[in-house]
Amino acid sequence: MSRILVIKLGALGDFVQAFGAFASIRAAFPNDHITLLTTPPFAELAQAAPWFDEVTTDRRPSLKHPVALFRLSRTLHGFDRIFDLQTSGRSKTYFRLAGRPRNWSGISSGCCHPHANPSRNEMHTLARLDDQLRAAGVKPLDRTVPEWLRGHGPKIQGRYVVLVPGAAPHRPQKRWPVTRFAEVAQTLFRRGITPIIVGSATETPLAEQIRSLCPQAVDLTGKTSLIELGGVLDRAEQVIGNDTGPMHLAAAMDRPIIALFSEDSDPRLTAPLALTPGRTTILDVPDLALLPASRIEALLPA
């Protein structure tokens, strides 16, 4: 039995988009021991998934700290094959820390299965991961809904639509004004549909702003694990939000989504894509501050 290491550190959207790659690697090596190296926020999610025999965490220590480097190096040793699906500047250095192993898939200089496609940086993340697997001799599987995420989280009665008003705090241009989300919430309530607000605890102030204008909205920010969030999204009639992690989870659950993009990010590379054609709507505008709520309201369930 071979020992295989898969490296995928995050963020949430990137991690979720690797679900298909994880499943493909497991299918290619059904009887081998597969370990995932990820960051602590995704450990519980990974442990619930059917693809890994073991999950270990990388706290991303400074690469200038000798003791931390030694510990990280020990974590990376002892594997027969390694898939670096992070392919970042940081993870490139892990090839050297791992002792330049013979079977390494990634972008590290000198690795035996390089993803050397000159167009890799112009590929959507899903296509890039599939292309990397092919370069390593692994057949990419078609994406499927992660059944293991279904049924979790609070059960919400009646029809509901999920709103995702957050995004990376250091990139405010990725956020549609919260007052517009509130307008959409009001429209949903008038149609007999409950607005559900999700996100991390740091996004609770956004939920409070929405609820100040639409008190019937339900605030779940900071109240669900990622596993529970997957279940909530799976049962939603629609999911509307910025370019941020939960939108990718909604797409993985194959829900109808409306994803909002500004010129701060490129949907050709990072858009959340549902499995079923026609379930993904991308609104790509130069400045989200100029996007009226009426554009989204026209796309809401009746």
Side-chain angles (χ1 to χ4, degrees), residues 214-253:
C214 181
Q216 298 84 5
V218 176
D219 176 15
L220 291 184
T221 56
K223 298 174 184 176
T224 63
S225 67
L226 292 177
I227 295 170
E228 292 169 334
L229 177 61
V232 170
L233 294 169
D234 180 56
R235 297 184 291 274
E237 196 160 331
Q238 191 177 55
V239 182
I240 304 163
N242 301 316
D243 174 26
T244 189
M247 295 300 293
H248 290 281
L249 191 54
M253 304 311 297

Side-chain angles (χ1 to χ4, degrees), residues 166-175 203 243-244:
H170 62 286
R171 297 174 69 183
Q173 296 86 354
K174 293 179 70 173
R175 293 190 176 193
E203 288 152 351
D243 174 26
T244 189

